[in-house]
Amino acid sequence: MSMGRLAVTGAALLALAGLSACDDKEPAAAGTPEATSAASAAAAKELAAAATKLTASSGKLDLTMTGGVTGTGAFDTKHKLLDLKLDLTGFGDVNVRAIGDDLYVKVSGSLAKSFAGGDWMHLDAAKMPAGSTLSPAKIDPRIAVQVLTEATGVRKTGDRTYTGTVDSEKLPLTGGFAAADVPFTAEVAPGGYLSKLTLDSEAVVPGSGKTVTSYSEIGAKVDVKAPAKSQTVEMPATTLQALGGQ
């Protein structure tokens, strides 16, 4: 697995996990009245509201990606907390903790020697350039909300299920893909929050598969502690550069 792929994967997970605080503005419905039917506009507004409710809370997440990559974790948007473990299947694990703007990353398995020998790596996200994979703008949960807000062809297919397409160039999961419409399906829990999002990037790049993220236990207390200082180093310059840092 390349450094670039690892960086894109990490950014995608952080964005979907809901790391940074959201503002209280309700996103506009996708499209315009002239371009969408009343039913589609209503469905888009419902879906955007569900995504906003999710990113304003706390909970747990489970994620699967192509190649057998899986992730589990917990997030608390209000307090800017994240605890995430990503299994790279055959390469080892990536653990990510976030406490405010302090990010800690630990890579184990065969990749560890390329990432501080397996120690926890620390970086201050607030100091990352705007174009970095781990800049506050890139890991803001409103990325996920904005993607759904700007979806096209949104249809309500059931009591709390939706389909539509999103612009591949706006997805943190599909960095480098050519411009195309990526199909998605979404589910909303009875509590009104987004509970599952499936992005079918296979339709854009054959072999890329689907990315499925499920959210549960919304409102649960999340407690994240910084790793011991004796096990932590500042992120090496080579890794920072790969992630778009200086």
Side-chain angles (χ1 to χ4, degrees), residues 212-243:
V212 182
T213 309
S214 299
Y215 304 93
S216 61
E217 299 187 36
I218 302 303
K221 180 177 175 56
V222 175
D223 184 22
V224 182
K225 298 185 183 303
K229 290 185 177 180
S230 61
Q231 301 173 4
T232 306
V233 298
E234 288 303 305
M235 185 169 285
T238 52
T239 305
L240 273 173
Q241 291 172 0
L243 296 175

Side-chain angles (χ1 to χ4, degrees), residues 12-19 61 74-77 81-82 84 141 213 215:
L13 289 170
L14 290 168
L16 291 172
L19 174 62
L61 68 88
F75 64 95
D76 183 333
T77 302
L81 300 174
L82 173 68
L84 181 71
T213 309
Y215 304 93

Side-chain angles (χ1 to χ4, degrees), residues 5-164:
R5 175 60 176 163
L6 181 62
V8 171
T9 299
L13 289 170
L14 290 168
L16 291 172
L19 174 62
S20 305
C22 257
D23 59 29
D24 295 326
K25 294 181 180 179
E26 183 176 339
T32 63
E34 294 80 12
T36 59
S37 67
S40 180
K45 186 175 182 179
E46 290 177 8
L47 183 57
T52 300
K53 187 170 184 177
L54 170 69
T55 58
S57 188
S58 62
K60 296 184 177 181
L61 68 88
D62 292 279
L63 180 142
T64 61
M65 300 177 72
T66 188
V69 176
T70 60
T72 59
F75 64 95
D76 183 333
T77 302
K78 181 178 180 180
H79 299 99
K80 299 177 68 174
L81 300 174
L82 173 68
D83 190 355
L84 181 71
K85 181 177 182 180
L86 179 65
D87 182 353
L88 302 182
T89 309
F91 292 93
D93 299 329
V94 177
N95 290 272
V96 179
R97 295 180 188 175
I99 305 172
D101 288 327
D102 289 307
L103 297 184
Y104 301 90
V105 182
K106 178 180 175 67
V107 181
S108 64
S110 62
L111 294 173
K113 62 182 180 181
S114 300
F115 295 90
D119 285 338
W120 283 96
M121 298 175 289
H122 168 263
L123 68 88
D124 183 348
K127 295 181 180 180
M128 297 294 280
S132 167
T133 302
L134 294 179
S135 69
K138 293 293 180 68
I139 59 179
D140 192 321
R142 285 173 290 185
I143 294 174
V145 173
Q146 188 69 16
V147 167
L148 293 178
T149 299
E150 298 182 4
T152 57
V154 179
R155 293 191 305 114
K156 191 170 186 177
T157 57
D159 186 26
R160 292 186 298 273
T161 58
Y162 304 82
T163 63

